[in-house]
Amino acid sequence: ELKVEQNPLFLSMQEGKNYTIYCNYSTTSDRLYWYRQDPGKSLESLFVLLSNGAVKQEGRLMASLDTKARLSTLHITAAVHDLSATYFCAVIPTGGFKTIFGAGTRLFVKA
Amino acid sequence: DTAVSQTPKYLVTQMGNDKSIKCEQNLGHDTMYWYKQDSKKFLKIMFSYNNKELIINETVPNRFSPKSPDKAHLNLHINSLELGDSAVYFCASSQGSGGSTSTDTQYFGPGTRLTVL
């Protein structure tokens, strides 16, 4: 069965710094998603990546997908406190229906 | 207008009781889901319906029974509640069912925090 692993699971960083969250998955996939969850809130879609080499950017977040390495990255540029949240990657395996979520990365940006 | 709504938002109940959580989406989506998020934030799919047909039925106790009266609604009924059922339950919807060619981004409801005492 498809496994999705994120690392790190917890990240504390200073404002203004850059960092990358990694998402590895174990079988082939057509689609990879990144979601954000604020404490006590629901999940909000950030990006959907559909093909090898796909890159999407919004504000200080940039997501990329390497389907050959089965790896997606979420890069944070010049972090600000408002980015503090839990970030999940999620994958649908090729030909499948079920979305498998990673364990989430809790990001805390210190002001 | 709320896209995916759930009621109630909080549910506190005693072990052994039966309870229901309701979900409605006004996005015109074909597929709806129930997820359980435990205390460690781990998110696991429980069920999915596409146009009222059950397409994902994960290994969950048969005390949990989903019902989809129409494609805009997906309810979750839980019998004989146990302490381990305490979690946040999220409903979500998407246009496709994961096997289609659409992006199938899921839109999540606000969650129902269930506490079993």
Side-chain angles (χ1 to χ4, degrees), chain B residues 1-5 24-27 107-108 110:
Chain B
D1 276 349
T2 305
V4 183
S5 58
E24 177 180 1
Q25 55 96 2
N26 63 7
L27 297 166
Y107 294 81
F108 284 77

Side-chain angles (χ1 to χ4, degrees), chain A residues 15-35:
Chain A
E15 274 195 333
K17 298 291 188 185
N18 303 333
Y19 209 84
T20 300
I21 299 170
Y22 297 88
C23 175
N24 286 94
Y25 53 97
S26 60
T27 65
T28 58
S29 169
D30 297 329
R31 275 158 285 183
L32 188 139
Y33 305 84
W34 285 98
Y35 289 88

Side-chain angles (χ1 to χ4, degrees), chain A residues 2-101:
Chain A
L2 172 65
K3 292 194 187 316
V4 180
E5 292 183 353
Q6 284 183 239
N7 73 83
L9 297 182
F10 182 79
L11 177 57
S12 178
M13 57 192 296
Q14 296 281 352
E15 274 195 333
K17 298 291 188 185
N18 303 333
Y19 209 84
T20 300
I21 299 170
Y22 297 88
C23 175
N24 286 94
Y25 53 97
S26 60
T27 65
T28 58
S29 169
D30 297 329
R31 275 158 285 183
L32 188 139
Y33 305 84
W34 285 98
Y35 289 88
R36 168 181 172 148
Q37 184 178 33
D38 291 302
K41 302 288 186 185
S42 185
L43 281 82
E44 175 194 349
S45 174
L46 294 173
F47 303 108
V48 54
L49 302 166
L50 300 177
S51 59
N52 188 40
V55 176
K56 291 204 174 169
Q57 181 162 7
E58 181 155 340
R60 299 174 189 275
L61 300 178
M62 184 173 71
S64 66
L65 178 63
D66 180 344
T67 57
K68 290 177 184 169
R70 297 179 187 166
L71 171 69
S72 179
T73 60
L74 181 66
H75 187 73
I76 302 152
T77 302
V80 292
H81 182 67
D82 285 352
L83 288 179
S84 297
T86 299
Y87 293 85
F88 291 92
C89 67
V91 176
I92 299 179
T94 302
F97 294 97
K98 192 165 64 173
T99 304
I100 307 297
F101 280 78

Side-chain angles (χ1 to χ4, degrees), chain A residues 1 31 33 35 37 39-45 48 50 86 88 92 95-99 101-103 106, chain B residues 35 37 39-43 45 55-56 58 90 97-106 108-110 113:
Chain A
E1 185 177 88
R31 275 158 285 183
Y33 305 84
Y35 289 88
Q37 184 178 33
K41 302 288 186 185
S42 185
L43 281 82
E44 175 194 349
S45 174
V48 54
L50 300 177
T86 299
F88 291 92
I92 299 179
F97 294 97
K98 192 165 64 173
T99 304
F101 280 78
R106 289 196 202 191
Chain B
Y35 286 90
Q37 186 172 48
S39 58
K40 295 182 179 175
K41 301 290 186 191
F42 189 68
L43 201 65
I45 192 164
I55 58 170
I56 295 174
E58 284 297 283
F90 285 101
S97 58
S100 71
T101 56
S102 69
T103 61
D104 291 333
T105 296
Q106 292 180 32
F108 284 77
R113 183 173 293 276

